[in-house]
Amino acid sequence: MKAVLVGQPNVGKSAVLNRLTGAEVIVSNYAGTSVELTRGNVRLGKKNIEVIDTPGIYSLTAASAEETITKELLSNESVNLVINVVDATSLARNLALTLELLGTAKPLLVLLNQMDRVRSKGMVIKHTELGRWLGVTVIPFSAVTGEGVAEVFDYLDRGLSEGFALPNPEVHKGNLQVLAEEGGFSCDGLCWACSHEKAKVSCHEEQIWGLQLQARALANKVLDYESRRRVQWLSRLEQLVDRPVLGALVLMLVLWVGFKLLLAFTGWTEGIIEGLFQPVQQFLAFCITKVLPDGFVSQVLSKGIPEGLLLPFALVLPAILMVSIFMAVLEDTGLLARYAVVLDRLGRALGISGQAVIPMALGFGCRTPAVIATRILPNPRERLVVITLLSIVIPCAATLGMIVAVINAFNAYPEAIAGSMLMAFIGLGLGLKKRFGVKQEEMVYELPPLRVPFVKTLVAKVRIRFRGFFTEVLPLLVIMSIGVRVLIDSGVLRFVAGMDRVTEYLFGVPAEAFAAVLITVIQRYLAPLVLLNLNLDPRQATIAISMIALSLPCLPVMVASWREVGAWNLGKIIATGLAISFTTGTVLNLVLPK
């Protein structure tokens, strides 16, 4: 059996999927998270229900990619149940889609999600009466607290045994006609539920407006307010953050504080982890030298493997932890969606919409899924622009960890590094806008309310994002550490040293540091491993790490970009990355004092 979750953007469908199925899906407080279909399974005894999470849509009548996916799924005969997830705090707006779903000829269950917030706002929803008006089952629900989960399971269990009842068209047609008469507006031509002849020829705008009128009238019927509404401090903070100028300053301050915390945390944990790992390193080195005969291989492995284990845990893991926590907090508090609004004006100056902040924000975790997330953007040219910016300018969490490690190890200049990345972002964006002339489309942003994140949800998100560290980052860093140790102990880097005169003149860095820039083609966060084994002064470290931070897309990003924009555009991205990296090194060599 298959059930489909359908709802407007930002109503909590993915959170409902997590709560019902236990599927670990990243839940974010901004539209566009569910670019593709996500699936989970509900086990009721020996019976299994496949639950499918669909992209958020406002209407079944639009023609965007999200609406097309959902409509095709709803027309599939294998779908046995539609679960309409409704943001109960915005009942009138959400019920417009519910009224459309009544016409899909599928059994319908309505979940009034976020009931915890409904009560905090002093609202009361008469869900039984709402179910009577709609002619379907309505269950109060909270994906955060677990309210309503047992009732949903009971409903599904009964449906598997007795069958799911189809909505009675006569019931809701008659009820909606009554609402229209009580509301003082005509139902003619307004929606599918009307039997008037004009409905067959009404335009799209009239249908949407009619649904909204009916949804508003229905919400007024079942919605009450307590005599005394509880005003939360979050509401006052929300009013502050949502101001155009002051809110933008607050959000930029939050980013700066997050970056400073990242620097402080990684610097603090590095010494602690090194102290804890020192006995482990010595034990591993001792075991390797005892097992292997004396020689080059034993020397390389006895140094490379312990170092390869220490560096990820001491440098990369704290950075990934902090970035994962920071991203989870921004998502669950509702601040990340506000960054999309704040950055909309800057984005338009660069030829992209503020909606592009979504894949770019994901890129600070891992750039490969961020490239795939560009599918939410409105046109192919904007997708190419954002993928180019992601590939060259945006550092992933592991790269941030290595950048911070180099800053702490050589006392590099973080302001110069951050300034270089910002200037490269703006310059590249302006250049791409001039080259492609991306057509701007007006965007309507739906801001979620500010809320205090739940610790359990934050821990789950961090755990999901942390998996990649042990399955991808750690093995690569161990292998790369062995490779770097081979280069050092074999003397191969001495041959590169012959280019010192050229690299010192152009970029102000030794040839070995320049070689690290080229290693970014494998993985960007592997390149700083070479720097950490060199003797660099702060100026050289600043230039070298800036060139690494602004260089080639790593291999996984190349593969994802190839699929999304093609080999020809990928070649352009690689050439652009090299040009920006070399230009950054040259400029910093000229402006930084020697």
Side-chain angles (χ1 to χ4, degrees):
M1 175 192 163
K2 291 184 180 179
V4 179
L5 296 176
V6 181
Q8 295 186 1
N10 200 38
V11 297
K13 295 186 304 303
S14 297
V16 171
L17 180 70
N18 285 349
R19 176 62 74 169
L20 293 179
T21 69
E24 294 188 324
V25 180
I26 293 292
V27 182
S28 305
N29 265 320
Y30 51 83
T33 303
S34 303
V35 180
E36 297 178 327
L37 300 179
T38 307
R39 304 168 189 266
N41 291 286
V42 173
R43 297 288 300 178
L44 297 173
K46 296 183 179 180
K47 301 172 184 177
N48 180 71
I49 301 175
E50 183 183 18
V51 184
I52 305 172
D53 180 21
T54 62
I57 60 172
Y58 289 101
S59 171
L60 294 175
T61 59
S64 69
E66 290 82 2
E67 277 88 1
T68 301
I69 291 173
T70 303
K71 284 189 290 187
E72 290 178 352
L73 194 59
L74 291 176
S75 64
N76 194 319
E77 294 182 359
S78 65
V79 173
N80 308 97
L81 175 67
V82 177
I83 302 177
N84 177 211
V85 182
V86 171
D87 178 1
T89 64
S90 302
L91 191 61
R93 176 171 56 77
N94 279 254
L95 285 178
L97 177 60
T98 306
L99 296 178
E100 282 192 271
L101 292 173
L102 287 172
T104 60
K106 298 280 187 183
L108 182 67
L109 169 65
V110 177
L111 297 187
L112 298 177
N113 194 27
Q114 304 189 48
M115 286 300 295
D116 52 321
R117 289 187 51 241
V118 167
R119 297 186 185 93
S120 71
K121 289 176 173 288
M123 301 164 61
V124 177
I125 298 177
K126 294 173 279 189
H127 67 277
T128 303
E129 185 174 345
L130 176 60
R132 181 177 62 80
W133 281 98
L134 293 174
V136 299
T137 300
V138 177
I139 298 177
F141 196 88
S142 173
V144 173
T145 65
E147 175 186 354
V149 173
E151 289 80 357
V152 172
F153 286 159
D154 288 342
Y155 174 87
L156 295 176
D157 194 31
R158 289 197 307 272
L160 289 173
S161 302
E162 305 169 6
F164 295 100
L166 289 169
N168 188 334
E170 298 303 321
V171 171
H172 45 255
K173 279 184 181 180
N175 288 341
L176 294 175
Q177 185 65 42
V178 171
L179 283 176
E181 295 172 356
E182 291 181 355
F185 58 86
S186 173
C187 201
D188 288 359
L190 293 182
C191 75
W192 63 268
C194 304
S195 57
H196 298 285
E197 186 67 23
K198 186 180 176 183
K200 300 179 181 179
V201 296
S202 62
C203 66
H204 172 71
E205 288 79 9
E206 286 178 320
Q207 293 174 10
I208 295 299
W209 179 242
L211 288 169
Q212 292 173 347
L213 287 176
Q214 292 175 355
R216 190 181 306 166
L218 181 56
N220 289 337
K221 274 285 184 183
V222 300
L223 182 61
D224 285 332
Y225 287 90
E226 294 178 351
S227 58
R228 184 177 180 181
R229 182 184 177 187
R230 288 170 281 178
V231 180
Q232 295 182 321
W233 62 270
L234 275 176
S235 300
R236 299 188 181 95
L237 181 60
E238 184 177 312
Q239 294 174 0
L240 173 67
V241 175
D242 288 345
R243 293 181 182 179
V245 178
L246 186 59
L249 294 176
V250 171
L251 292 174
M252 293 304 105
L253 178 62
V254 170
L255 281 183
W256 175 249
V257 170
F259 180 68
K260 298 299 287 186
L261 286 175
L262 175 63
L263 288 175
F265 182 73
T266 52
W268 174 67
T269 56
E270 181 179 353
I272 296 176
I273 295 176
E274 283 183 355
L276 294 174
F277 260 77
Q278 189 173 8
V280 179
Q281 281 184 289
Q282 293 173 349
F283 177 74
L284 286 174
F286 173 78
C287 292
I288 293 171
T289 54
K290 287 296 183 182
V291 172
L292 297 176
D294 291 340
F296 179 74
V297 175
S298 176
Q299 178 183 348
V300 168
L301 294 181
S302 63
K303 293 180 180 178
I305 293 179
E307 289 175 355
L309 289 173
L310 172 64
L311 286 173
F313 283 100
L315 304 178
V316 180
L317 185 144
I320 293 180
L321 176 63
M322 282 298 294
V323 171
S324 299
I325 293 174
F326 190 60
M327 288 292 299
V329 170
L330 289 182
E331 290 168 352
D332 285 10
T333 55
L335 287 175
L336 192 57
R338 285 163 171 81
Y339 280 104
V341 175
V342 169
L343 295 176
D344 181 73
R345 184 171 297 177
L346 174 61
R348 290 180 182 277
L350 303 179
I352 58 178
S353 65
Q355 192 178 12
V357 76
I358 296 170
M360 287 185 179
L362 294 176
F364 285 100
C366 179
R367 293 180 299 163
T368 304
V371 169
I372 298 173
T374 58
R375 296 173 184 174
I376 68 173
L377 299 178
N379 56 70
R381 288 186 173 184
E382 185 171 344
R383 288 184 62 200
L384 178 58
V385 170
V386 174
I387 288 174
T388 303
L389 292 170
L390 274 169
S391 300
I392 298 172
V393 182
I394 304 297
C396 65
T399 303
L400 280 174
M402 299 306 289
I403 290 174
V404 172
V406 172
I407 291 174
N408 291 333
F410 300 106
N411 293 319
Y413 314 136
E415 293 80 8
I417 298 170
S420 299
M421 297 175 70
L422 178 60
M423 294 304 297
F425 179 83
I426 295 174
L428 180 58
L430 291 174
L432 291 171
K433 179 183 179 181
K434 185 176 181 180
R435 168 66 178 83
F436 294 109
V438 179
K439 180 182 178 182
Q440 291 298 309
E441 300 181 12
E442 291 298 325
M443 299 295 297
V444 177
Y445 294 96
E446 180 181 351
L447 292 180
L450 290 184
R451 63 183 305 165
V452 178
F454 283 76
V455 175
K456 182 179 179 181
T457 307
L458 293 178
V459 171
K461 285 189 174 186
V462 173
R463 185 180 67 251
I464 295 171
R465 287 176 168 140
F466 234 45
R467 288 176 181 169
F469 171 80
F470 294 99
T471 59
E472 299 174 11
V473 177
L474 183 59
L476 278 173
L477 282 174
V478 173
I479 294 171
M480 188 59 189
S481 177
I482 296 173
V484 171
R485 182 53 56 184
V486 169
L487 291 176
I488 293 173
D489 291 351
S490 65
V492 172
L493 288 180
R494 298 195 195 103
F495 295 100
V496 182
M499 297 177 57
D500 275 344
R501 184 174 298 179
V502 177
T503 58
E504 287 280 2
Y505 176 77
L506 292 176
F507 311 120
V509 298
E512 294 94 332
F514 178 72
V517 177
L518 303 180
I519 295 176
T520 56
V521 72
I522 304 172
Q523 274 287 9
R524 187 174 295 186
Y525 57 77
L526 299 178
L529 281 175
V530 177
L531 300 184
L532 293 171
N533 285 278
L534 302 176
N535 293 318
L536 303 175
D537 60 38
R539 184 179 186 275
Q540 291 173 331
T542 299
I543 296 174
I545 199 64
S546 297
M547 293 180 68
I548 289 172
L550 302 165
S551 57
L552 300 172
C554 62
L555 192 58
V557 174
M558 286 187 185
V559 174
S561 300
W562 190 328
R563 294 174 179 172
E564 298 298 322
V565 299
W568 177 247
N569 286 323
L570 174 60
K572 293 179 180 178
I573 292 173
I574 293 173
T576 304
L578 284 174
I580 289 179
S581 181
F582 293 172
T583 302
T584 299
T586 303
V587 172
L588 288 177
N589 188 34
L590 293 174
V591 300
L592 289 180
K594 295 184 179 180

